[in-house]
């Protein structure tokens, strides 16, 4: 398609412009009021909206509609119903009622509920979330909804996110009022999620069971070339990839997704897509959609888009950088430092609230990104470590330091950058350098939370981030509202916060070995794995926090924790079974074939009564392969045994710990032996494409 961006952008979205144009004035107004003030919607309004939506969707080629929701599986769910209704003359009419728009009743018993919903009460509800636009995707009108159980318990990822927005709004407004701002009516969080991914050739992908079942390779010897030349990052984009990116952009634009930047990443075959930021709710829906579209468009190009956090050992994994800030209905960014941050009290209150929140609730942020797949990244020398810390950069760290000491901040003059060549533009050096190693970095006027894995729904980390910041804003506001002298009280508050939470600031290299011991000295948590992190979700502190802000009840938290632990165990279980299958059916038989060839050659040479030196090399290789083969056979039996042993662990946390301590190490050992065998086996015998082929074929 020769795309005209402005024409195709949002063409498949029932957005504000479409609503304004098509809905009767009164309906449009009622709907806007409903969205803005959370008033309840009458069935009449819903009915008119539904009818207009249906007519619009049919023009866009839709025949069905679905309530589109985000259950705890981490991906989106949809169940398609057609618009057709029988007409008396034996024909059909296209119908879509207000009731169908606002409420759905999916048989929800097959979605994870962590015991919240017994299968005998399988009824679940989806309810229209009018704050996110409906859209048409592949002939289906998709209506964004939230999902809850018959008993009213939250079963999805969206509801806590929406609730956490309310909490931020409420308490940020209190701070603004204290600072003399009576005009702002609404505060919301904004997110720009940078999405990393791998592109592989589909034909090669289909030859690997590990990629098909697990989304990552479970075996693979190191290729002669990896990412050591650093020649892929921002490298020129190959034409096959460029064609994919162009197609992808167009599909995303149609859905109203602001796809903006595309570039190559560090690892071969790795790329990144960055959207322009938007309000949290929309950013979350858009990121879920983007991940889905990325995969679908890839297939059209005979490619496969991998979103797994660690598809290849020894090569960088994929993350998702969650750029986060707080914005207002008046267009302000509350994390904008302005020209003199040291004097900008309002900015400092918001900034320090975030710093304190990260320090006080480190464990919650850590567990918000904990998955079996992300465990392969965090702490490896490529992604932020499992330790939370905040990067503020020189200037703001200087400001914080001065506040702590109660002294004036001495501003350093910004350095002029001129590149040493007259014709190049001159500009001032940014006041924060980049620190790519920090898990939580201030980058000019936003924070970049970098611990997220590439496939993760951003709903989880952001409802937690919003809630912990709301909690501290609430605390700050409570204290300042009581104070007789706001100026003095806020100075004291900032000073106290700087002194108490200085330990969470770290501007150095987070990948360095020394940081681990330094962080330990500072008393920072280092929760290395998912089973170590998740139990903190059910701590009294966490239950109190989420309860206070009406985000989740204790029952809902416990069920979520169980779901996440079970996900962890299931992921490793599937990986172990896949490994066993590949070992027994592919790898071990391949080695036998090669051994057979080698033995035949050696035997024939022997039969010719040639001197031993002539078949010595075959013998040595036969010996080496046979040893490795024996080792791998034993390891396969062991893996079988420990995988079966998992069935005895029925409690979710106990099972997860078992998989981490008993199954993963055996898998690692089996892989090491198999990789060594791969390196010593003729390629024609090896049963699936090597790392070299996978990484360098697109
Ligand atoms: P980089 O991190 O590569 O330097 P940018 O700083 O330009 O790139 O932006 C990275 C991401 O941050 C983009 O998705 C951008 O839209 C997003 N972003 C920029 N400003 C904000 C903001 N106020 N709130 C949330 N995200 C933002
Ligand atoms: Mg970035």
């Amino acid at each position: 398609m020769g795309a005209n961006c402005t024409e195709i952008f949002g063409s498949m979205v029932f957005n504000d412009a479409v609503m304004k144009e098509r809905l009767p004035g009164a309906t449009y107004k009622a709907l806007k009021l409903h969205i803005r003030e959370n008033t309840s919607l009458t069935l009449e309004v819903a009915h008119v909206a539904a009818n207009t939506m249906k007519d619009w969707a049919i023009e866009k080629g839709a025949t069905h509609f679905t309530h589109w929701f985000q259950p705890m599986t981490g991906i989106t769910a949809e169940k398609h119903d057609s618009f057709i209704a029988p007409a008396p003359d034996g024909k059909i009419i296209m119908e879509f009622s207000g009731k169908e728009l606002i409420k759905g009743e999916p048989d929800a018993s097959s979605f994870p509920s962590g015991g919240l919903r017994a299968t005998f009460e399988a009824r679940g509800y989806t309810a229209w979330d009018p704050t996110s636009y409906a859209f048409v995707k592949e002939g289906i009108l998709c209506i964004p909804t939230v999902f809850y159980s018959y008993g009213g318990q939250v079963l999805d990822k969206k509801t806590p996110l929406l609730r956490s927005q309310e909490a931020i709004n409420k308490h940020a407004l209190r701070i603004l009022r204290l600072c003399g701002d009576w005009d702002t009516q609404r505060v919301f969080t904004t997110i720009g999620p940078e999405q990393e991914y791998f592109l592989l050739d589909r034909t090669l992908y289909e030859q690997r069971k590990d990629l098909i079942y697990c989304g990552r390779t479970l075996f693979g010897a190191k290729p002669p070339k990896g990412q050591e030349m650093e020649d892929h990052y921002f490298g020129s984009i190959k034409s096959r990839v460029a064609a994919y990116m162009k197609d992808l952009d167009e599909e995303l634009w149609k859905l109203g997704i602001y796809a903006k930047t595309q570039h190559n990443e560090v690892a071969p075959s790795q790329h990144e897509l960055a959207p322009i930021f938007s309000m949290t709710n929309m950013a979350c829906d858009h990121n879920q959609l983007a991940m889905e579209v990325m995969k679908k468009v890839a297939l059209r190009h005979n490619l496969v888009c991998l979103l797994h956090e660690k598809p290849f050992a020894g090569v960088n994994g994929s993350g998702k950088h969650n750029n986060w800030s707080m914005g207002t209905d008046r267009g302000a960014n509350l994390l904008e430092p302005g020209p003199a941050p040291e004097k900008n009290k309002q900015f400092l209150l918001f900034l320090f609230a975030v710093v304190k929140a990260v320090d006080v609730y480190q464990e919650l942020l850590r567990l918000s990104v904990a998955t079996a797949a992300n465990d392969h990244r965090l702490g490896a020398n490529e992604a932020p470590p499992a330790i939370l810390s905040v990067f503020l950069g020189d200037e703001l760290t200087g400001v914080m330091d001065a506040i702590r000491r109660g002294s004036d901040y001495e501003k350093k003059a910004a350095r002029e950058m001129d590149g040493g060549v007259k014709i190049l533009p001159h500009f001032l050096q940014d006041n924060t350098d980049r620190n790519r190693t920090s898990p939580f970095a201030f980058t000019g006027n936003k924070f970049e939370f970098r611990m997220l894995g590439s496939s993760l729904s951003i709903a989880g980390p952001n409802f937690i981030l919003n809630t912990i910041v709301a909690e501290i804003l609430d605390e700050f506001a409570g204290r300042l509202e009581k104070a007789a002298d706001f100026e003095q009280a806020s100075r004291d508050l900032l000073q106290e916060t700087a002194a108490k939470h200085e330990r969470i600031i770290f501007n150095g290299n987070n990948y360095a070995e020394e940081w681990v011991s330094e962080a330990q000295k500072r008393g920072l948590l280092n929760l290395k794995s998912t089973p170590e992190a998740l139990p903190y979700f059910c701590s009294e502190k966490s239950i109190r926090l989420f309860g206070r802000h009406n985000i989740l009840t204790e029952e809902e938290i416990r069920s979520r924790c169980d779901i996440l632990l079970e996900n962890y165990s299931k992921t490793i279980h599937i990986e172990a079974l896949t490994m066993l299958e590949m070992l027994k059916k592919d790898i071990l038989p391949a080695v036998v074939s090669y051994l057979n060839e080698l033995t035949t050659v050696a035997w024939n040479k022997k039969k010719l009564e040639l001197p031993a030196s002539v078949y010595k090399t075959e013998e040595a290789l036969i010996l080496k392969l046979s040893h490795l083969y024996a080792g791998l056979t034993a390891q396969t039996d062991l893996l079988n045994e420990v995988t079966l042993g998992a069935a005895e662990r029925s409690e979710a946390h106990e099972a997860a710990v078992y998989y981490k301590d008993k199954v993963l190490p055996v898998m690692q050992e089996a892989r090491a032996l198999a990789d060594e065998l791969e390196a010593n086996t003729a390629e024609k015998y090896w049963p699936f494409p090597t790392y070299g082929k996978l990484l360098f074929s697109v």
Side-chain angles (χ1 to χ4, degrees):
M1 184 197 322
N4 175 343
C5 302
T6 49
E7 232 166 70
I8 65 170
F9 188 84
S11 59
M12 291 300 187
V13 185
F14 194 72
N15 56 25
D16 198 53
V18 179
M19 286 192 244
K20 201 165 182 178
E21 185 196 314
R22 298 201 173 216
L23 289 172
T27 313
Y28 176 73
K29 252 196 223 138
L31 207 55
K32 290 294 273 189
L33 191 76
H34 169 59
I35 292 168
R36 208 173 47 239
E37 305 198 337
N38 235 339
T39 51
S40 62
L41 200 62
T42 65
L43 206 55
E44 278 146 72
V45 172
H47 201 70
V48 178
N51 214 29
T52 311
M53 219 184 245
K54 176 206 68 189
D55 290 341
W56 169 84
I58 289 171
E59 281 170 37
K60 299 289 174 191
T63 50
H64 291 65
F65 71 93
T66 182
H67 275 199
W68 187 76
F69 58 105
Q70 301 175 24
M72 290 301 294
T73 51
I75 53 174
T76 55
E78 40 192 86
K79 171 186 145 233
H80 305 161
D81 280 301
S82 72
F83 291 125
I84 64 166
D89 54 1
K91 295 194 169 161
I92 53 150
I93 49 168
M94 300 296 259
E95 238 180 37
F96 184 45
S97 71
K99 206 167 147 257
E100 285 171 308
L101 168 64
I102 59 179
K103 189 173 141 211
E105 288 185 24
D107 170 12
S109 53
S110 304
F111 292 105
S113 75
L116 275 184
R117 194 201 44 236
T119 34
F120 58 84
E121 37 172 76
R123 202 190 280 267
Y125 295 110
T126 50
W128 182 31
D129 164 20
T131 64
S132 182
Y133 298 135
F135 54 91
V136 170
K137 175 173 69 85
E138 295 170 330
I140 315 290
L141 168 65
C142 299
I143 297 145
T145 55
V146 295
F147 179 44
Y148 53 91
S149 74
Y150 183 66
Q153 295 104 336
V154 180
L155 294 176
D156 71 349
K157 300 225 164 201
K158 274 296 279 294
T159 310
L161 186 66
L162 296 175
R163 291 178 177 170
S164 72
Q165 285 268 81
E166 286 307 311
I168 281 268
N169 175 50
K170 182 168 158 195
H171 301 297
L173 279 177
R174 289 168 67 199
I175 300 285
L176 289 180
R177 300 293 180 258
L178 282 161
C179 294
D181 173 351
W182 291 88
D183 299 324
T184 300
Q185 295 304 315
R186 202 157 176 84
V187 174
F188 43 80
T189 51
T190 49
I191 303 179
E194 299 166 62
Q195 177 74 49
E196 291 182 341
Y197 61 98
F198 279 86
L199 277 184
L200 300 186
D201 183 88
R202 185 176 178 179
T203 317
L204 296 175
Y205 165 92
E206 280 167 356
Q207 295 168 48
R208 296 209 47 142
K209 290 176 191 157
D210 46 5
L211 287 175
I212 292 171
Y213 295 136
C214 312
R216 76 171 177 115
T217 56
L218 299 169
F219 301 101
K222 241 177 104 59
K225 183 182 179 205
Q227 61 189 52
E228 53 282 277
M229 299 296 284
E230 299 175 334
D231 53 355
H232 193 254
Y233 190 56
F234 279 25
S236 81
I237 297 173
K238 295 209 184 90
S239 52
R240 190 170 170 200
V241 175
Y244 165 76
M245 287 178 172
K246 179 170 180 291
D247 206 5
L248 174 62
D249 276 344
E250 287 179 13
E251 290 302 327
L252 295 175
W253 291 338
K254 282 187 207 162
L255 292 168
I257 299 173
Y258 305 101
K260 170 89 173 160
T261 317
Q262 303 254 19
H263 64 76
N264 285 354
E265 263 298 330
V266 175
S269 288
Q270 194 187 28
H271 311 278
E272 182 187 290
L273 167 82
I276 299 174
F277 70 95
S278 57
M279 274 157 76
T280 297
N281 186 22
M282 202 146 100
C284 178
D285 285 1
H286 282 177
N287 185 247
Q288 291 298 124
L289 269 178
M291 291 194 286
E292 181 185 328
V293 175
M294 286 163 84
K295 287 187 176 169
K296 286 194 174 146
V297 172
L299 298 179
R300 288 192 215 152
H301 294 255
N302 203 31
L303 294 167
V304 172
C305 172
L306 286 188
L307 293 174
H308 194 282
E309 280 69 13
K310 191 73 183 174
F312 303 98
V315 173
N316 268 12
S318 296
K320 177 139 58 192
H321 291 174
N322 188 81
N323 294 274
W324 177 94
S325 190
M326 288 171 276
T328 74
D329 57 345
R330 295 173 59 79
N333 177 351
L334 298 178
L335 289 178
E336 177 60 56
E342 70 279 11
K343 297 192 196 106
N344 187 344
K345 185 145 295 160
Q346 182 185 305
F347 163 72
L348 290 172
L349 284 170
F350 282 109
L351 180 80
F352 281 31
V354 178
V355 169
K356 176 168 181 177
V358 177
D359 188 25
V360 175
Y361 294 103
Q362 295 162 48
E363 71 280 11
L364 293 185
L365 284 176
R366 166 65 184 97
L367 72 87
S368 79
V369 298
T371 62
N374 213 20
D375 279 3
H376 298 294
R377 276 177 76 240
L378 297 181
N381 277 350
E382 49 162 288
I387 308 164
L388 252 304
S389 69
V390 177
F391 169 85
L392 281 186
D394 291 343
E395 182 175 29
L396 290 176
T397 306
V399 170
M400 190 166 171
D401 218 37
I403 291 173
R404 181 181 54 81
R405 284 183 279 109
S407 57
D408 281 338
Y409 173 66
E410 277 182 47
K411 203 178 176 70
K412 278 189 241 128
R415 196 153 72 90
E416 188 159 344
M417 314 287 278
D418 65 4
V421 180
K422 280 246 159 54
I423 190 143
L424 297 178
H426 290 219
F427 50 86
L428 293 181
Q429 189 181 32
D430 284 317
N431 60 7
T432 50
D433 187 13
R434 289 172 184 278
N435 178 324
R436 292 275 173 208
T437 68
S438 173
F440 204 93
F442 189 75
T443 49
N445 58 7
K446 61 185 191 288
F447 277 99
E448 189 168 336
F449 184 23
R450 300 206 181 103
M451 290 167 94
L452 285 73
S454 47
S455 68
L456 196 68
S457 155
I458 62 173
N462 284 295
F463 95 72
I464 289 184
L465 182 53
N466 290 350
T467 309
I468 63 177
V469 173
E471 165 71 13
I472 306 297
L473 290 174
D474 181 15
E475 185 195 309
F476 280 12
R479 188 163 145 181
L480 296 174
E481 281 159 356
K482 277 197 223 94
D485 177 353
F486 171 71
E487 285 306 317
Q488 185 58 45
S490 54
R491 245 192 325 271
D492 292 347
L493 174 64
L494 289 175
Q495 181 166 22
E496 191 186 301
T497 309
K500 262 204 189 140
H501 303 288
E502 194 185 28
R503 65 168 188 170
I504 198 76
I505 308 295
F506 182 62
N507 293 330
N509 179 7
N510 284 258
Y511 297 173
E513 201 54 54
E514 302 85 74
W515 170 232
V516 179
S517 44
E518 163 71 17
Q520 196 179 12
K521 271 192 227 132
R522 294 190 189 186
L524 301 178
L525 285 168
N526 185 4
L527 304 169
K528 292 198 190 103
S529 69
T530 299
E532 281 162 274
L534 280 176
Y536 284 89
F537 201 9
C538 302
S539 69
E540 247 177 69
K541 179 181 164 196
S542 157
I543 289 167
R544 211 177 326 115
L545 171 79
F546 292 113
R548 246 171 72 74
H549 296 278
N550 296 321
I551 311 288
L552 291 171
T553 63
E554 172 167 359
E555 191 190 21
E556 287 163 347
I557 291 175
R558 290 195 186 282
S559 76
R560 250 154 231 259
C561 194
D562 275 357
I563 293 171
L564 294 167
L565 285 165
E566 278 161 19
N567 266 346
Y568 175 87
S569 298
K570 281 182 200 162
T571 304
I572 299 177
H573 190 73
I574 292 168
E575 288 179 350
L577 294 183
T578 305
M579 222 175 191
L580 283 169
E581 175 160 330
M582 290 172 84
L583 284 166
K584 289 194 261 190
K585 297 205 169 150
D586 304 317
I587 295 179
L588 292 170
V591 176
V592 170
S593 302
Y594 186 42
L595 272 172
N596 189 35
E597 178 179 327
L598 288 171
T599 321
T600 311
V601 173
W603 182 245
N604 287 343
K605 284 183 181 173
K606 221 175 203 166
K607 271 202 303 203
L608 292 173
E609 291 179 13
L610 296 173
S613 62
V614 172
Y615 50 83
K616 201 163 75 202
T617 46
E618 282 91 359
E619 275 188 353
L621 189 52
I622 290 167
L623 209 61
K624 177 170 187 175
L625 291 175
S626 301
H627 278 310
L628 286 167
Y629 179 85
L632 188 54
T633 311
Q635 202 64 23
T636 305
D637 292 342
L638 186 58
L639 183 57
N640 208 13
E641 199 184 305
V642 291
T643 308
L644 288 174
E648 288 153 34
R649 274 80 191 168
S650 57
E651 195 274 320
H653 185 250
E654 192 198 347
V657 170
Y658 179 87
Y659 276 101
K660 171 173 84 73
D661 291 339
K662 296 287 185 284
V663 182
L664 271 182
V666 179
M667 284 169 63
Q668 259 154 21
E669 187 53 34
R671 179 191 176 134
L673 291 166
D675 290 356
E676 174 95 28
L677 276 165
E678 182 190 327
N680 289 287
T681 300
E683 181 144 344
K684 69 170 179 180
Y685 285 100
W686 205 250
F688 33 74
T690 60
Y691 265 31
K693 276 209 183 123
L694 290 170
L695 287 167
F696 293 97
S697 66
V698 175

